[in-house]
Amino acid sequence: MKKIASFTVNHDKLEKGMYVSRVDGDVATYDIRMKKPNGGDYLSNSALHTFEHLFATYARNSPLSDQVVYVGPMGCRTGFYLLVRDTVSKEQAIALVQETFRFVEGFSGEIPGSKREECGNYLDHDLPGAQAVARDMSAVLAGWTPEKMEYAT
């Protein structure tokens, strides 16, 4: 079988940040790398789960909501994918992710979609853990530009 594009990226060279993973037709996929691959420090399942609920809720309620196709975690627990229509500029995508991290950092209250009838694993949430990751990534992405969105070769 043909190797998929994301497996051709040298993960040993990846650092925390936000990258253009691929563009397929009218959908751009962004790699939001929140942990260094193979670095021994990964997103915990419960923090990742909470971050997913908050990220998806924020992005789908933002001014770009109609352009958001998908938000979801990477199976390796080093980050998230954000898929948007190609009408969203790189600058807009960066701004949305930066705003999302600020939203998660300051969030209080009930996690959206965390009731038993709304979630398949409703007991597995960690808001403080999600907020710690958001704080870290806010610092990483401060001043991020489209020029920084290319994978290292």
Side-chain angles (χ1 to χ4, degrees):
M1 287 192 276
K2 182 180 170 187
K3 187 182 279 193
I4 64 172
S6 62
F7 294 158
T8 66
V9 174
N10 185 341
H11 284 63
D12 289 333
K13 293 185 177 185
L14 273 178
E15 298 293 335
K16 294 178 188 178
M18 182 174 172
Y19 306 95
V20 176
S21 177
R22 57 188 295 146
V23 177
D24 299 290
D26 70 338
V27 176
T29 300
Y30 290 97
D31 171 338
I32 303 160
R33 197 59 63 153
M34 301 158 81
K35 298 288 184 175
K36 179 153 179 56
N38 302 313
D41 177 31
Y42 305 101
L43 297 167
S44 72
N45 285 331
S46 52
L48 175 140
H49 188 203
T50 300
F51 200 93
E52 175 193 19
H53 279 237
L54 293 172
F55 190 171
T57 297
Y58 186 84
R60 291 185 177 125
N61 282 279
S62 75
L64 297 175
S65 63
D66 291 342
Q67 307 305 314
V68 174
V69 176
Y70 174 75
V71 173
M74 297 175 182
C76 61
R77 297 184 1 243
T78 63
F80 274 74
Y81 288 114
L82 169 65
L83 281 69
V84 294
R85 298 283 173 209
D86 66 356
T87 54
V88 175
S89 70
K90 291 176 182 174
E91 292 85 358
Q92 288 174 304
I94 292 167
L96 174 61
V97 171
Q98 290 169 329
E99 292 164 13
T100 299
F101 288 144
R102 285 192 295 273
F103 168 75
V104 173
E105 282 181 72
F107 185 82
S108 63
E110 183 178 308
I111 307 298
S114 65
K115 293 180 181 154
R116 182 184 180 95
E117 62 272 14
E118 299 168 331
C119 179
N121 195 3
Y122 78 104
L123 294 176
D124 190 25
H125 283 280
D126 176 9
L127 179 58
Q131 290 174 317
V133 171
R135 273 190 301 281
D136 177 58
M137 283 304 295
S138 286
V140 169
L141 293 180
W144 206 259
T145 64
E147 293 75 31
K148 295 180 179 180
M149 299 179 90
E150 300 289 326
Y151 288 126
T153 55

